[in-house]
């Protein structure tokens, strides 16, 4: 019964709680135990479901024929560059927000639509911070490609979710089912903290990016080992 409990679907949690209590001879009227076990099983099943949802979004390739994808991309530009209009869909202007070439769709290959959704979420919910970080990323000596680094941090957040490293963080943050929103919030934390980390470290050049990315990754993994951890920009 206990082994099966950690694989239970959301709809079956209540029955599963009753079965565990019966098997372990715990009084059904022990509401404290019942509530805590119910929340715990929701968190466990929810983590697995969240990973599948994130993975499904990652598997969707950016499609320039898809109107919705294109609208999200243009919205990203408008949020980050409100003073400057995009002269054409294929344009060198994309480099101004840290894409590699004149068509951002090629940069989304590795992380698919997840990379765009993350960038857009940060720009929408933390517009002031996103513009500040974009501005800092244009630093003459310590500059980096804002959008490319953002997509790189999507990969970091995704891999931490995949290998289970985000369990303590999400279990502490959400009393019940973790949602896509909570994954996006963790991503926002990474973007904000990476920018601070990059400027504190003062790398000699962007050529050392991978080395500093790994150092940052190790730092985050270390923080996530704390069983009381919550890594978020929200109070």
């Amino acid at each position: 019964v206990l082994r099966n409990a950690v694989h239970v679907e959301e709809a079956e949690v209540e029955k599963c709680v009753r079965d565990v209590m019966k098997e372990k001879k715990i009084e059904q009227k022990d509401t404290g135990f019942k509530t805590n076990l119910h929340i715990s099983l929701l968190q466990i099943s929810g983590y697995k479901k969240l990973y599948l949802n994130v993975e499904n979004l990652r598997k969707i390739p950016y499609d320039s024929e898809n109107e919705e994808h294109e609208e999200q991309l243009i919205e990203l530009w408008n949020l980050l560059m409100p003073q400057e209009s995009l002269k054409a869909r294929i344009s060198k202007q994309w480099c101004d927000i840290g894409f590699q070439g004149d068509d951002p769709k090629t940069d989304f290959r590795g992380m698919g639509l997840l990379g765009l959704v993350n960038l857009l979420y940060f720009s929408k919910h933390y517009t002031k911070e996103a513009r500040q970080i974009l501005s800092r990323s244009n630093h003459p000596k310590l500059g980096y490609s804002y959008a490319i680094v953002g997509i790189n941090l999507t990969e970091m957040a995704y891999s931490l979710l995949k290998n289970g490293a985000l369990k303590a963080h999400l279990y502490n943050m959400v009393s019940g089912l973790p949602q896509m929103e909570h994954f996006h919030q963790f991503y926002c934390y990474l973007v904000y903290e990476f920018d601070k980390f990059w400027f504190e470290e003062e790398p000699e050049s962007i050529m050392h990016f991978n080395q500093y990315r790994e150092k940052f990754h190790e730092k985050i993994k270390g923080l996530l080992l704390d069983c009381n951890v919550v890594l978020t920009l929200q109070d």
Side-chain angles (χ1 to χ4, degrees):
V1 171
L2 283 171
R3 264 192 226 105
N4 291 338
V6 295
H7 303 295
V8 76
E9 290 292 319
E10 184 188 345
E12 299 158 357
V13 166
E14 208 162 314
K15 180 187 179 299
C16 187
V17 169
R18 285 198 303 272
D19 291 348
V20 169
M21 291 178 79
K22 185 179 168 189
E23 190 70 29
K24 288 292 179 184
K25 299 181 175 56
I26 296 161
E27 292 284 334
Q28 291 291 333
K29 61 177 180 281
D30 186 343
T31 53
F33 180 87
K34 190 182 277 187
T35 302
N36 288 334
L37 183 58
H38 193 272
I39 288 169
S40 298
L41 292 179
L42 278 179
Q43 288 176 320
I44 292 166
S45 65
Y47 189 95
K48 291 172 183 175
K49 197 173 175 185
L50 174 62
Y51 167 67
L52 290 175
N53 290 341
V54 168
E55 174 68 350
N56 288 337
L57 196 54
R58 187 189 73 85
K59 282 180 179 170
I60 299 171
Y62 183 90
D63 179 8
S64 50
E65 301 295 310
N66 185 313
E67 207 174 300
E68 204 179 309
H69 294 189
E70 288 284 286
E71 280 171 7
Q72 287 178 308
L73 186 59
I74 300 302
E75 188 181 359
L76 177 68
W77 173 272
N78 291 336
L79 282 163
L80 291 172
M81 303 289 276
Q83 311 302 329
E84 195 180 323
S85 58
L86 196 62
K87 293 178 177 63
R89 167 58 182 81
I90 308 289
S91 165
K92 282 274 179 263
Q93 282 176 288
W94 289 113
C95 297
D96 296 345
I97 60 170
F99 285 104
Q100 278 178 324
D102 52 10
D103 189 352
K105 86 169 187 185
T106 57
D107 294 325
F108 291 120
R109 277 189 197 131
M111 285 290 111
L113 204 58
L114 183 64
L116 173 58
V117 171
N118 270 169
L119 280 168
L120 187 55
Y121 184 94
F122 183 58
S123 301
K124 252 185 187 173
H125 293 82
Y126 299 97
T127 311
K128 185 174 140 230
E129 290 82 354
R131 288 174 188 166
Q132 280 174 347
I133 290 172
L134 173 62
S135 174
R136 278 159 64 88
S137 76
N138 290 316
H139 189 280
K141 183 173 179 289
L142 298 171
Y144 59 85
S145 300
Y146 175 81
I148 293 295
V149 168
I151 294 166
N152 205 291
L153 292 171
T154 289
E155 194 281 326
M156 189 182 292
Y158 162 77
S159 67
L160 289 166
L161 179 72
K162 186 179 182 180
N163 68 23
L166 288 189
K167 281 180 181 175
H169 160 71
L170 284 170
Y171 293 169
N172 291 330
M173 191 182 175
V174 192
S175 180
L177 288 168
Q179 306 291 334
M180 186 67 86
E181 169 97 5
H182 302 116
F183 177 76
H184 293 326
Q185 283 288 341
F186 175 68
Y187 168 80
C188 293
Y189 171 86
L190 288 185
V191 175
Y192 190 79
E193 289 298 319
F194 179 79
D195 179 72
K196 273 197 332 199
F197 172 83
W198 181 261
F199 279 88
E200 281 163 12
E201 291 287 326
E202 297 188 350
E204 286 171 42
S205 83
I206 194 67
M207 302 308 289
H208 299 285
F209 174 76
N210 286 342
Q211 175 193 335
Y212 285 93
R213 180 207 186 274
E214 207 39 54
K215 192 175 175 183
F216 179 69
H217 193 190
E218 290 303 318
K219 180 185 173 183
I220 297 297
K221 283 195 285 190
L223 293 173
L224 289 167
L225 292 174
D226 176 1
C227 62
N228 298 310
V229 68
V230 177
L231 303 180
T232 175
L233 290 185
Q234 289 183 321
D235 293 333

